Amino acid sequence: MRSFFRLWFSRKNKTEEEPKYKQLDSALIKAARYDLESQHLYIRFHDGREFVYCKVSPYAYNAFLNADSFSEHFHSFISQRYLHYQVM
């Protein structure tokens, strides 16, 4: 008999979808996604690196998506203002 937890986790994994990244038209940034629950902003760069920026407010993410230049907005308002780490 399978345990309740093993059964619950196996079902959860099958129904979860990979988070969707928004492709961006930028010379520096390839794609971005935002996790509202954790307030983490995930940025993928064209060189293959990916970073997570922590405690980014929904307002800051929306401002980033509506910026005239994603790269300039990223350098001015995100890159040095939020704690971040590289995803391996």
Side-chain angles (χ1 to χ4, degrees):
M1 178 177 191
R2 293 179 66 175
S3 74
F4 169 76
F5 291 107
R6 195 175 280 177
L7 181 64
W8 187 75
F9 281 114
S10 67
R11 285 184 184 166
K12 185 176 180 184
N13 290 338
K14 291 179 183 177
T15 60
E16 284 184 0
E17 292 181 15
E18 172 118 3
K20 303 280 187 206
Y21 278 80
K22 180 172 179 58
Q23 299 298 317
L24 302 177
D25 185 22
S26 170
L28 176 68
I29 301 169
K30 181 178 181 181
R33 80 174 173 90
Y34 183 72
D35 183 353
L36 183 61
E37 187 175 315
S38 65
Q39 292 191 340
H40 287 173
L41 174 61
Y42 298 80
I43 302 281
R44 283 186 181 165
F45 295 93
H46 284 292
D47 63 3
R49 296 176 302 145
E50 181 175 355
F51 284 85
V52 179
Y53 293 84
C54 304
K55 303 217 183 231
V56 177
S57 70
Y59 175 79
Y61 176 61
N62 191 38
F64 170 68
L65 289 182
N66 291 314
D68 291 333
S69 170
F70 298 117
S71 298
E72 287 179 18
H73 187 89
F74 172 77
H75 282 299
S76 298
F77 299 104
I78 296 174
S79 66
Q80 299 302 315
R81 293 186 184 201
Y82 295 99
L83 176 67
H84 61 279
Y85 59 91
Q86 187 170 359
V87 177
M88 297 295 179

